[in-house]
């Protein structure tokens, strides 16, 4: 029985079930016992009073990780269920055409279901820890691929998968919330704090910082966010940001742009009080002295190092970037290197003369493009020009002969800047909102020979491909496991002008 061979080797409490004469395991507060029949198990979860209980037989996985089942002419999306499984679920939401639920019991388990030793699963920040790591990427990529093709109207697109070697310990950045109740992650759908220092998916250095924040940072009467990133050497940098005003109204504040603190992420009305700033500043000075942090940013004030250094190797060339503390950076280093490799392949194939990198951030892909093209222009709503210049100088030895790299600070929500030269290759790596209407319009008018589109949101990628598909063809999509242990993937596709 593969299911129990996988999870019985983990550290779990077990007891004898006198009624059924079998072994009972306790995992993350759920009582699991062996049932008769190969590949079967029974999972007994805590029930929510008043929830309707229904049976399920899962057909497939939806984009987002829920199992899909149909009954009574209605589609239900079941959290925690996998294709081929059967059992019961609690209905948590029901609409005229669809409903949602959470697994209550698993009567027939999938062969790829595993039991996980995570101690802080209540945060549900991963959402895909119950799937065997070797099978997870193919499963979630297939669900995303189906969604992209349905929304774009395209068909017959091939898939290429790019796994990462490490799943736990791979995350290089984390977002914590400081509230009067403590510091940590939010439990799913609530503002209840969950200790993140025991999180398995983040790098050990981030767990160290999280534990120090929990133990050392005094609790304040106001809420704020803490973004912590690691540089290439594992040094930690923290950005302390006032919570958006909407948090007070019960809505969780989200990232509005690719960078923090600049015009792309306006936190209008959210400011630290003088007392809070003094407490945070005292903690930062202590953390810098003790080596917990290498640098910190409190609003726009900096302590320690101001910039972080990252390096990515691909095709024998190392690209170096510098970014200001708190500015956007890729989550998983190995996955980022995969995308660099995909970009390298495309540039070698297309041999462009001018490359435009839209939503360039601090130059992660801009400087890679400069290894192949004599002229590269990075466009961003906001980035630190000094950090960009540091990266440009550091990468000078990798550029093609006579290569020139420019930065244009521009609001891409309005479209492309009017002074861009004609380009035969465009890189697009927008936030999860996808390309703006203006950018889609201007790309169609510019008509570069190739567009490399990098996306973390299937719905927006499908929408934009439906627009660009009027003039561009795409043969396939690469799926990169940028977010291990979650149902999310990074999609990369090369569009070629018809």
């Amino acid at each position: 029985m593969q299911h129990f061979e996988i999870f019985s080797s983990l550290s779990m409490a077990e007891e004898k079930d006198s009624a059924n004469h079998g072994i009972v395991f306790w995992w993350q507060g759920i009582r699991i016992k062996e049932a008769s029949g190969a590949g079967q198990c029974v999972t007994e979860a805590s029930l929510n009073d008043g929830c309707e209980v229904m049976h399920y037989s899962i057909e497939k996985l939806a984009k987002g990780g829920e199992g899909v089942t149909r009954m009574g002419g209605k589609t239900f999306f079941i959290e925690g269920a996998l294709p081929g499984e059967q059992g019961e679920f609690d209905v948590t939401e029901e609409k005229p055409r669809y409903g949602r639920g959470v697994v209550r019991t698993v009567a027939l388990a999938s062969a790829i279901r595993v039991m996980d030793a995570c101690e802080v699963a209540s945060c549900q920040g991963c959402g895909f820890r119950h799937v065997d790591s070797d099978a997870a990427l193919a499963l979630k990529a297939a669900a995303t691929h189906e969604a992209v093709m349905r929304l774009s109207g395209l068909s017959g697109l091939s898939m290429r998968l790019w796994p990462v070697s490490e799943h736990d310990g791979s995350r290089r950045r984390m977002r914590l919330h400081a509230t009067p109740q403590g510091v940590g992650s939010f439990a799913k759908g609530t503002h209840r704090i969950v200790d993140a220092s025991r999180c398995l998916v983040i790098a050990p250095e981030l767990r160290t910082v999280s534990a120090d924040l929990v133990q050392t940072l005094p609790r304040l009467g106001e809420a704020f966010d803490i973004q912590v990133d690691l540089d290439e050497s594992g040094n930690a940098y923290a950005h302390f940001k006032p919570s958006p005003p909407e948090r007070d109204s019960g809505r969780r504040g989200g990232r509005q742009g690719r960078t923090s603190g600049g015009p792309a992420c306006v936190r209008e009305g959210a400011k630290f009080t003088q007392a809070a700033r003094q407490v945070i500043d005292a903690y930062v000075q202590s953390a810098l002295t003790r080596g917990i942090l290498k640098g910190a940013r409190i609003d726009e004030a900096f302590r320690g190092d101001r910039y972080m250094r990252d390096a990515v190797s691909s095709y024998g060339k190392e690209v170096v970037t510098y970014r200001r503390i708190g500015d956007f950076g890729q989550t998983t280093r190995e996955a980022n290197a995969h995308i660099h490799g995909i970009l390298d392949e495309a540039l070698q194939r297309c041999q462009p003369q001018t490359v435009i990198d839209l939503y360039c951030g601090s130059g992660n892909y801009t400087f890679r493009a400069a290894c192949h093209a004599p002229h590269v222009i990075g466009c961003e709503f906001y980035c630190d020009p000094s950090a960009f210049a540091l990266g440009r100088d550091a990468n000078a030895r990798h550029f093609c002969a006579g290569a020139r790299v420019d930065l244009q600070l521009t609001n891409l929500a309005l479209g492309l800047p009017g002074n861009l030269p004609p380009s035969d290759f465009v890189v697009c790596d927008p936030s999860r909102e996808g390309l703006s209407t203006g950018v889609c319009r201007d790309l169609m008018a510019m008509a570069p020979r190739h567009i490399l589109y990098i996306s973390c949101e299937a719905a927006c990628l499908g929408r934009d491909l439906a627009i660009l598909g009027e003039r561009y063809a795409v043969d396939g999509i690469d799926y990169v496991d940028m977010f291990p242990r979650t149902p999310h993937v990074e999609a990369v596709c090369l569009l070629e002008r018809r």
Side-chain angles (χ1 to χ4, degrees):
M1 293 183 295
Q2 183 182 10
H3 182 78
F4 284 92
E5 289 175 354
I6 292 173
F7 79 73
S8 61
S9 63
L10 299 176
S11 175
M12 296 185 185
E14 66 177 67
E15 64 182 35
K16 291 291 184 179
D17 184 350
S18 59
N20 296 286
H21 306 287
I23 299 295
V24 173
F25 298 88
W26 286 91
W27 169 73
Q28 298 178 1
I30 299 175
R31 187 171 181 266
I32 306 168
K33 65 182 179 181
E34 183 176 354
S36 61
Q40 294 188 356
C41 73
V42 175
T43 304
E44 300 180 275
S46 301
L47 304 182
N48 295 318
D49 293 339
C51 287
E52 181 183 2
V53 178
M54 302 178 72
H55 295 274
Y56 67 79
S57 180
I58 300 301
E59 303 172 7
K60 61 180 181 179
L61 201 70
K63 186 268 172 188
E66 300 97 343
V68 178
T69 188
R70 291 180 174 85
M71 57 188 68
K74 184 179 298 187
T75 300
F76 283 87
F77 300 93
I78 314 304
E79 183 180 339
L82 296 174
E85 292 188 333
Q86 298 176 14
E88 295 179 324
F89 69 95
D90 295 325
V91 178
T92 58
E93 179 185 8
E94 192 162 3
K95 301 290 186 180
R97 299 181 61 183
Y98 72 92
R100 298 190 183 277
V102 178
V103 168
R104 178 190 184 191
T105 66
V106 179
L108 177 63
S110 168
I112 61 173
R113 176 178 287 275
V114 298
M115 294 297 112
D116 176 65
C118 177
E119 300 178 12
V120 289
S122 60
C123 82
Q124 299 190 39
C126 295
F128 223 54
R129 298 195 67 90
H130 59 293
V131 186
D132 175 69
S133 58
D134 292 334
L137 177 57
L139 191 62
K140 61 188 183 180
T144 303
H145 196 66
E146 179 183 351
V148 171
M149 288 197 295
R150 183 182 71 254
L151 294 166
S152 65
L154 302 174
S155 61
L157 301 183
S158 63
M159 292 173 53
R160 186 165 58 160
L161 305 182
W162 296 80
V164 294
S165 57
E166 298 292 335
H167 294 83
D168 284 336
S170 62
R171 295 278 192 93
R172 309 286 293 178
R173 61 198 325 254
M174 67 178 178
R175 180 186 181 189
L176 299 175
H177 308 284
T179 73
Q181 289 72 45
V183 178
S185 303
F186 281 148
K188 185 176 181 180
T190 74
H191 289 161
R192 181 173 62 83
I193 290 295
V194 177
D195 183 5
S197 63
R198 296 176 295 160
C199 175
L200 297 180
V201 76
I202 59 177
E205 296 90 341
L206 291 181
R207 292 200 292 269
T208 298
V209 175
S210 179
D212 191 75
L213 285 163
V214 170
Q215 298 167 9
T216 311
L217 181 65
R219 296 186 183 184
L220 303 174
E222 56 188 277
F224 55 94
D225 295 340
I226 310 169
Q227 178 73 44
V228 187
D229 292 77
L230 300 179
D231 67 8
E232 60 174 330
S233 301
N235 299 309
Y237 296 77
H239 183 196
F240 295 81
K241 302 176 284 187
S243 295
E246 58 263 29
R247 173 131 349 130
D248 297 332
S249 64
R251 293 183 297 151
R252 186 179 303 181
R255 187 182 68 183
Q256 299 177 22
R258 291 296 300 272
T259 57
S260 301
C265 188
V266 177
R267 293 173 176 267
E268 185 177 355
K271 297 181 179 179
F272 283 124
T273 64
Q274 183 176 359
R277 183 180 292 274
Q278 290 175 347
V279 170
I280 294 171
D281 194 66
Y283 167 78
V284 165
Q285 296 291 2
S286 171
L288 291 171
T289 301
R290 293 180 289 117
I292 299 296
L293 297 176
K294 188 73 179 295
R297 176 180 169 190
I298 310 171
D299 279 347
E300 297 305 311
F302 293 85
R303 302 287 184 269
D305 291 353
R306 182 187 184 96
Y307 299 115
M308 302 174 54
R309 183 183 190 274
D310 293 310
V312 180
S313 296
S314 177
Y315 278 70
K317 292 184 178 180
E318 184 178 73
V319 165
V320 175
T321 58
Y322 289 83
R323 55 190 165 100
R324 186 181 60 167
I325 296 173
D327 285 356
F328 178 80
Q330 297 294 344
T331 302
T332 305
R333 177 184 294 173
E334 185 180 356
N336 187 35
H338 286 330
I339 300 178
H340 275 251
I342 296 169
L343 177 57
D344 267 318
E345 290 180 0
L347 291 168
Q348 287 187 347
R349 168 188 162 188
C350 303
Q351 296 292 309
Q353 292 300 302
T354 303
V355 175
I356 296 175
D357 183 11
L358 303 180
Y359 313 91
C360 69
S362 297
N364 180 37
Y365 303 127
T366 313
F367 302 133
R368 174 63 62 188
C371 296
H372 298 269
H375 187 198
V376 182
I377 303 170
C379 298
E380 181 56 272
F381 193 71
Y382 181 85
C383 78
D384 190 311
S386 297
F388 191 91
L390 286 172
R392 179 170 50 201
D393 294 343
N395 287 288
R397 63 185 180 277
H398 294 318
F399 294 164
C400 300
R404 170 184 159 198
V405 181
D406 298 321
L407 171 67
Q408 286 208 25
L409 300 180
T410 182
N411 185 357
L412 290 172
L414 304 177
L416 300 182
N419 60 344
L420 286 177
S423 172
D424 40 4
F425 196 104
V426 173
V427 180
C428 301
D429 182 21
S431 62
R432 63 175 59 93
E433 290 82 7
L435 303 180
S436 69
T437 302
V439 166
C440 281
R441 175 200 63 215
D442 294 343
L443 279 177
M444 295 286 280
M446 177 187 285
R449 285 191 299 127
H450 296 93
I451 300 173
L452 188 78
Y453 193 140
I454 304 165
S455 172
C456 62
E457 176 50 58
C460 295
L461 175 60
R463 177 201 67 199
D464 294 341
L465 288 181
I467 299 172
L468 298 173
E470 297 177 7
R471 193 160 190 173
Y472 287 87
V474 56
D475 293 329
I477 303 179
D478 291 275
Y479 291 99
V480 182
D481 203 1
M482 181 68 75
F483 315 99
R485 304 297 194 191
T486 78
H488 307 294
V489 292
E490 197 90 348
V492 186
C493 56
L494 181 65
L495 288 75
E496 186 169 5
R497 192 179 62 207
R498 298 182 190 276

